[in-house]
Amino acid sequence: MNQPTRILTLALLLLQLMDSIDAKMSIISTKLDIKVGDEILLLCKAGAEGDITWQKDGEDIDDEEIVNKLDEASSKLVIKKATMQDAGRYTCHCDFDSGHKDDAQIQLFVYDGPSFGSTKTYHEFLEGTDGLVPCLVTGQPQVDVQWFKNQQEISNVGGHMRKQSDNTLRIEKVKREDAGTYVCRAQIRGRPSIFMELSVSVVVNAPPTVRLREEVKKVLAGPETNVSLLCLVDGLPQPNITWTMPVQFNPSRHHFNSDSSQLTIQSVVREDFGEYVCTATNKIAESSATIMLHVFEAPEVFVSAEQQRVLVGEAVSVSCNVTGHPHPELHWLNKQNGQTLSSTSGRVRVVDNVLMIDEVVPSDGGLYSCMAISSSGNASRDVAVYSK
Ligand SMILES: *[C@@H]1O[C@H](CO)[C@@H](O)[C@H](O)[C@H]1NC(C)=O
Ligand SMILES: *[C@@H]1O[C@H](CO)[C@@H](O)[C@H](O)[C@H]1NC(C)=O
Ligand SMILES: *[C@@H]1O[C@H](CO)[C@@H](O)[C@H](O)[C@H]1NC(C)=O
Ligand SMILES: *[C@@H]1O[C@H](CO)[C@@H](O)[C@H](O)[C@H]1NC(C)=O
């Protein structure tokens, strides 16, 4: 290569280098993902003087409200309110004064939403039924929906919950532990940073149920006897408990625990017997159970006299009565010979619980006993007959 050729080659190279520096075109945009309604602002810097034109997806843009020449080497494109149709490839083309041509390109993504419209944020379901929790999302170009509970995505495999094709969360046979806050997360497809979340509360209801530890309760009346009736209640919301009793409520003898599930009766008396009904009520339904309280009474014996002093030949008459529940059998006993006096006629007899002895003889003297016998116990009272 001779000297002049070498110089020419060098000059050409330099020119090419300068040209390529000149042609360093760029489009500057504040963002590439634009929400519908927001402003689009593109700035094209040609780097050297020339004639700048804009194209969108290969079509010329010559609307002067949109494209504006800033100076000989730059131009801007402004769209005040972006619409979905503004998405696409924008090209800034420059015919440089040097005769060279070049362009720069940028791809703009336009999206709308996502938004949840009139999605309900509170649901109540009855335990055991199927619950549907819709998430009514809108958004463009496309929205992907995920459901979360406790920061965990609800998987469509396994478990009893799944997202339907319409984005509704379906809970099969709702359980109590399904209550809580769910999050519907809507994301513009392909744009992980563009999303919205909506919290939806789920409340689970269950009708009241009542369980008793014992349906029949038996106690012996007495000042020392306290009896507790227990009603085990379940339901959601927590049911209220009320009691109906066979006797008038008496605050000095009837006590309830804090949730009224237990009724305590102090110093039980015979009159307390009967049906105690506990009723559990919540807004779903009510349910009751009945406890039968049997109150037994220990027998007691009353005699009209504990000592009888009579002269031989006179008559003796002692009446006896017994109380208790069940009502006791009454027997008169001659304690000298241990015999029960059952005759209703004769000289020594028992008539209507009255012991009668006609024309007393000396051997009639001694101890007699009026006895009360029942399943609640026995009692007796002695009567001493003295004859002379
Ligand atoms: C019955 O209840 C009263 C009051 O709470 C108590 O003082 C008493 O000791 C109780 N009696 C029995 C036998 O538990
Ligand atoms: C339960 O009791 C509370 C307090 O007395 C009352 O405010 C509520 O309305 C009751 N609920 C039902 C279902 O009866
Ligand atoms: C039974 O006992 C009560 C109490 O002591 C008495 O008032 C009543 O008269 C007695 N009745 C008979 C039949 O003895
Ligand atoms: C009560 O008396 C009956 C009959 O005499 C007797 O069989 C029973 O064992 C007695 N019961 C008690 C608790 O003393």
Side-chain angles (χ1 to χ4, degrees):
M1 211 184 273
N2 59 20
Q3 193 74 1
T5 320
R6 201 176 283 165
I7 290 169
L8 197 71
T9 314
L10 211 70
L12 263 171
L13 267 171
L14 222 96
L15 258 174
Q16 272 171 2
L17 202 71
M18 279 173 69
D19 240 359
S20 64
I21 289 166
D22 280 352
K24 195 159 181 137
M25 291 186 66
S26 61
I27 298 179
I28 300 165
S29 171
T30 47
K31 52 194 178 192
L32 298 178
D33 293 340
I34 291 139
K35 194 173 167 65
V36 163
D38 283 1
E39 186 185 64
I40 299 177
L41 172 61
L42 299 180
L43 192 64
C44 177
K45 286 180 163 287
E49 296 193 351
D51 190 12
I52 298 174
T53 54
W54 289 87
Q55 288 167 336
K56 173 174 179 277
D57 298 326
E59 303 258 328
D60 286 338
I61 312 172
D62 35 29
D63 188 340
E64 279 176 13
E65 283 187 20
I66 296 177
V67 221
N68 270 292
K69 181 172 168 177
L70 290 175
D71 56 40
E72 294 306 319
S74 55
S75 170
K76 70 172 181 181
L77 180 148
V78 180
I79 298 170
K80 288 274 176 232
K81 281 186 158 63
T83 66
M84 289 306 293
Q85 286 69 44
D86 293 325
R89 175 162 293 272
Y90 287 80
T91 307
C92 168
H93 181 89
C94 186
D95 285 332
F96 290 100
D97 293 349
S98 61
H100 180 73
K101 294 177 199 297
D102 199 4
D103 55 32
Q105 297 192 331
I106 198 170
Q107 182 75 34
L108 287 189
F109 182 84
V110 181
Y111 66 92
D112 192 11
S115 66
F116 296 105
S118 59
T119 302
K120 266 178 72 183
T121 56
Y122 181 84
H123 293 271
E124 289 192 29
F125 301 125
L126 204 55
E127 184 184 31
T129 61
D130 292 346
L132 294 176
V133 189
C135 186
L136 310 170
V137 287
T138 52
Q140 296 188 76
Q142 254 180 316
V143 183
D144 292 325
V145 166
Q146 289 167 291
W147 278 100
F148 290 85
K149 188 174 187 223
N150 303 327
Q151 274 88 48
Q152 292 230 302
E153 187 182 355
I154 294 164
S155 151
N156 262 14
V157 288
H160 63 300
M161 297 185 197
R162 65 187 167 82
K163 190 188 78 179
Q164 297 185 158
S165 56
D166 65 352
N167 295 327
T168 294
L169 178 70
R170 182 183 185 86
I171 310 175
E172 303 278 349
K173 297 204 171 37
V174 172
K175 299 188 199 125
R176 285 168 190 227
E177 50 275 27
D178 295 336
T181 302
Y182 291 74
V183 172
C184 177
R185 188 181 197 275
Q187 182 216 301
I188 299 292
R189 182 166 298 170
R191 292 291 183 279
S193 62
I194 307 173
F195 65 87
M196 294 288 278
E197 291 184 339
L198 181 72
S199 290
V200 181
S201 300
V202 167
V203 168
V204 178
N205 292 322
T209 57
V210 182
R211 208 157 47 82
L212 300 175
R213 191 164 293 162
E214 42 208 343
E215 285 178 9
V216 175
K217 193 124 187 167
K218 297 176 179 177
V219 293
L220 194 60
E224 291 299 307
T225 303
N226 301 339
V227 65
S228 286
L229 308 179
L230 189 60
C231 191
L232 302 165
V233 166
D234 185 40
L236 279 176
Q238 183 68 39
N240 285 355
I241 303 176
T242 53
W243 290 82
T244 56
M245 312 194 284
V247 289
Q248 185 90 34
F249 175 74
N250 176 348
S252 67
R253 293 180 53 233
H254 295 123
H255 298 281
F256 296 107
N257 64 346
S258 59
D259 69 355
S260 293
S261 60
Q262 180 170 285
L263 165 63
T264 302
I265 308 168
Q266 279 174 3
S267 305
V268 175
V269 294
R270 168 64 193 151
E271 288 66 37
D272 290 327
F273 83 96
E275 290 186 342
Y276 289 76
V277 182
C278 88
T279 303
T281 311
N282 68 12
K283 62 180 181 174
I284 309 299
E286 69 170 49
S287 174
S288 322
T290 303
I291 305 174
M292 183 66 204
L293 180 65
H294 292 287
V295 179
F296 298 104
E297 251 180 333
E300 273 194 86
V301 179
F302 304 92
V303 288
S304 57
E306 292 191 338
Q307 292 185 350
Q308 286 287 69
R309 290 175 191 280
V310 287
L311 296 172
V312 169
E314 288 185 342
V316 171
S317 165
V318 182
S319 76
C320 176
N321 70 28
V322 294
T323 60
H325 186 85
H327 193 74
E329 280 177 42
L330 184 155
H331 297 284
W332 275 103
L333 199 73
N334 180 333
K335 288 190 113 176
Q336 281 71 247
N337 56 22
Q339 275 178 357
T340 301
L341 305 168
S342 52
S343 172
T344 56
S345 61
R347 198 178 57 84
V348 180
R349 60 189 185 276
V350 174
V351 177
D352 291 336
N353 303 333
V354 180
L355 169 65
M356 299 173 114
I357 308 172
D358 293 341
E359 293 161 17
V360 168
V361 296
S363 62
D364 290 333
L367 278 180
Y368 294 80
S369 187
C370 179
M371 290 179 54
I373 298 170
S374 84
S375 53
S376 302
N378 299 338
S380 66
R381 212 164 264 271
D382 291 345
V383 177
V385 174
Y386 304 99
S387 61
K388 30 183 170 157

